[in-house]
Amino acid sequence: KNCSSYMIQPYFSHEFCTFCQDGEYFVQTYLPCQICSIVDSLGSEPHENLVLNSINTDLPWGTSEGDCVCRPGNERIVDTDVCTPCQIGTFRPSISTHLCDECGIDLFQNTTGQTTCHACPEHSSTLGGIGISQIGGCVCGAGFETLQIVEGVAECVLCVAGKFRTNRTKSEATATCEICPVNAYCPEGSVIPIACAENEVSSMGSSLQQHCQCPVGRGRL
């Protein structure tokens, strides 16, 4: 009797019909299965035996040549047998999907052909953005300085005493903490200036409550 779907028996024999072996793909009931083999973008390095079955992803063989996939960190160009590295801002961790995915919220990737994304430095965020391709897309939170390199590691640095910084937006230019205005004071890591008490004054860049003083001609009772 005829072989069932995706089963083969390519020889004159009494053998039973069989499914393709691991890493192969189905062609025709009467033809041997073929080994999945895709080359990289330079045509020099084959990606062999990697299959994502379009009907059941648990099956290690393919229903057609279209089920042959690239190794992690690469994706297959549509309608070709060539693999290209994932672009910056994207990644592909395994052969469980055909294409590279965008890095998620608070993640970035600044190099090609990657299987993971980098986490934004502590106290920073992509502000809900995805597919971020540079660490500069990680925005430091309120009260922190724009990303700086400290001992080879990028990190957000607290605003020094006497300065403050409110929340950044995606469109805001790279900015540093602002100097505390007059008649207010800003401890380390200030988000907004703290106003001096009524009738008290302070000079620009004040950092402590004690810097708020009575003006000339006035004094505390």
Side-chain angles (χ1 to χ4, degrees), residues 106-162:
D106 299 340
L107 300 172
F108 74 97
Q109 181 50 260
N110 58 350
T111 54
T112 61
Q114 300 303 305
T115 59
T116 61
C117 295
H118 303 298
C120 284
E122 189 177 8
H123 307 300
S124 69
S125 167
T126 60
L127 301 177
I130 61 174
I132 303 301
S133 60
Q134 299 295 332
I135 193 171
C138 298
V139 179
C140 290
F144 287 86
E145 196 84 61
T146 305
L147 282 172
Q148 298 181 19
I149 304 298
V150 179
E151 296 182 353
V153 179
E155 62 180 50
C156 295
V157 180
L158 277 171
C159 292
V160 298

Side-chain angles (χ1 to χ4, degrees), residues 204-219:
M204 185 177 289
S206 295
S207 60
L208 300 173
Q209 186 176 17
Q210 297 91 300
H211 294 160
C212 296
Q213 301 289 324
C214 294
V216 176
R218 290 175 177 265

